[in-house]
Amino acid sequence: MDLLAQLFFARKICRTEDLPEVTNIVFMGMGEPSDNVEAVTKAATILTTRELFQLSATKVMISTVAPSPEAFLKLAEAPCVLAWSVHAANDSLRKKLVPTTRYSMVELRQGLIDALNKRSNPVLRTTMIEVALMAGVNDSLQDADDLAEFVKPMLEEVPGSELVVNLIPFNDIGHPIFQKPSQETVACFQKRLWQQGIVTHIRSTRGDDESAACGQLATKRRRDDMNINLAMP
């Protein structure tokens, strides 16, 4: 329940310091949520309970890499929006980027479709597809085309659903393979998806000038300590 305590004190600071109110919560970068479903679901319920934190269910999001199709079904019990860290639609590439992958992308996609259809509230059938773009790894136009084809069945098979692709430019951590793509490349990737009818946003990067952006605090270390098992084509 650390997140609940953080929000409690963050709200207190916002009030005393006259800062903007905290309006959105994302379970992300804290370990795989499906490994702790009971606690995550309870926290999401507390966040969205009128008598407690009073957040709208659409303002709370749980992000998962989806270790299994069943993981989506379990997380669908939480009163919030589900997000899937996809990173690549191609099975081979996705297994390199997410080594814990044990299922095909088609199997995992069906798990998400089933989970969304299980939800009685149409508003919670909205989902976000997250892609961390890395230069020369998964940022080509072909990668964009593959992603577009991959997500279309979600829109077709989930009545009343809304789907948004969130592009996350990789933040530099000094890795010899995974590097930040150019702004032009990211913009072209976004445009390609929009051309195929896929709503796509680019996450703005904050804190990278001080190595405090997403992924940098936890992974900043000496290069010779890195265990590199990936050989990209």
Side-chain angles (χ1 to χ4, degrees), residues 91-109:
D91 277 318
S92 178
L93 178 56
R94 214 256 177 173
K95 286 180 180 178
K96 291 179 179 180
L97 297 178
V98 186
T100 56
T101 299
R102 296 293 181 267
Y103 296 85
S104 71
M105 293 301 286
V106 170
E107 290 174 308
L108 293 173
R109 179 181 63 194

Side-chain angles (χ1 to χ4, degrees), residues 23-94:
T23 57
N24 295 271
I25 298 293
V26 181
F27 290 76
M28 186 178 190
M30 305 162 60
E32 172 53 42
S34 64
D35 290 339
N36 196 16
V37 172
E38 184 177 348
V40 169
T41 300
K42 184 175 181 180
T45 301
I46 291 173
L47 288 171
T48 56
T49 296
R50 183 180 297 274
E51 294 77 17
L52 299 173
F53 285 95
Q54 301 181 332
L55 288 173
S56 166
T58 60
K59 298 296 184 180
V60 179
M61 180 179 293
I62 295 176
S63 176
T64 175
V65 296
S68 70
E70 292 74 25
F72 286 122
L73 292 171
K74 293 177 182 178
L75 291 172
E77 298 296 329
C80 62
V81 175
L82 294 180
W84 183 12
S85 295
V86 169
H87 306 313
N90 176 279
D91 277 318
S92 178
L93 178 56
R94 214 256 177 173

Side-chain angles (χ1 to χ4, degrees), residues 2 5 16 28 30-31 42 75 78 81 87 92 96 98-99 103 114 120 149-151 158 167-168 190-191 202 214 223:
D2 288 350
T16 57
M28 186 178 190
M30 305 162 60
K42 184 175 181 180
L75 291 172
V81 175
H87 306 313
S92 178
K96 291 179 179 180
V98 186
Y103 296 85
D114 292 343
S120 58
E149 287 303 311
F150 178 74
V151 302
V158 182
L167 302 179
I168 309 171
Q190 179 192 36
K191 182 178 179 181
I202 300 173
C214 181
R223 292 187 182 183

Side-chain angles (χ1 to χ4, degrees), residues 10-230:
R11 281 186 162 182
K12 182 177 181 180
I13 292 172
C14 289
R15 290 194 300 270
T16 57
E17 301 295 330
D18 196 26
L19 296 173
E21 184 180 355
V22 178
T23 57
N24 295 271
I25 298 293
V26 181
F27 290 76
M28 186 178 190
M30 305 162 60
E32 172 53 42
S34 64
D35 290 339
N36 196 16
V37 172
E38 184 177 348
V40 169
T41 300
K42 184 175 181 180
T45 301
I46 291 173
L47 288 171
T48 56
T49 296
R50 183 180 297 274
E51 294 77 17
L52 299 173
F53 285 95
Q54 301 181 332
L55 288 173
S56 166
T58 60
K59 298 296 184 180
V60 179
M61 180 179 293
I62 295 176
S63 176
T64 175
V65 296
S68 70
E70 292 74 25
F72 286 122
L73 292 171
K74 293 177 182 178
L75 291 172
E77 298 296 329
C80 62
V81 175
L82 294 180
W84 183 12
S85 295
V86 169
H87 306 313
N90 176 279
D91 277 318
S92 178
L93 178 56
R94 214 256 177 173
K95 286 180 180 178
K96 291 179 179 180
L97 297 178
V98 186
T100 56
T101 299
R102 296 293 181 267
Y103 296 85
S104 71
M105 293 301 286
V106 170
E107 290 174 308
L108 293 173
R109 179 181 63 194
Q110 189 59 50
L112 178 55
I113 290 173
D114 292 343
L116 294 176
N117 279 326
K118 182 181 177 182
R119 296 184 143 187
S120 58
N121 186 348
V123 173
L124 293 184
R125 290 178 187 163
T126 296
T127 190
M128 179 175 286
I129 301 298
E130 299 163 328
V131 181
L133 289 180
M134 291 158 274
V137 175
N138 64 342
D139 64 345
S140 70
L141 293 181
Q142 182 59 58
D143 291 317
D145 291 340
D146 290 345
L147 182 62
E149 287 303 311
F150 178 74
V151 302
K152 285 177 182 177
M154 299 183 204
L155 292 169
E156 297 167 355
E157 298 180 28
V158 182
S161 67
E162 293 185 17
L163 182 145
V164 176
V165 171
N166 190 24
L167 302 179
I168 309 171
F170 186 78
N171 289 311
D172 181 37
I173 57 173
H175 198 285
I177 296 176
F178 300 137
Q179 298 177 0
K180 188 173 184 176
S182 67
Q183 291 183 349
E184 180 182 3
T185 296
V186 177
C188 288
F189 198 102
Q190 179 192 36
K191 182 178 179 181
R192 190 75 156 209
L193 290 173
W194 271 105
Q195 289 173 338
Q196 299 183 63
I198 308 300
V199 176
T200 308
H201 300 308
I202 300 173
R203 177 187 292 181
S204 59
T205 299
R206 300 177 182 177
D208 56 333
D209 55 335
E210 296 181 356
S211 295
C214 181
Q216 290 183 320
L217 289 175
T219 57
K220 190 174 179 60
R221 65 184 69 176
R222 295 178 56 182
R223 292 187 182 183
D224 56 2
D225 285 339
M226 293 181 179
N227 181 18
I228 303 171
N229 297 313
L230 182 62

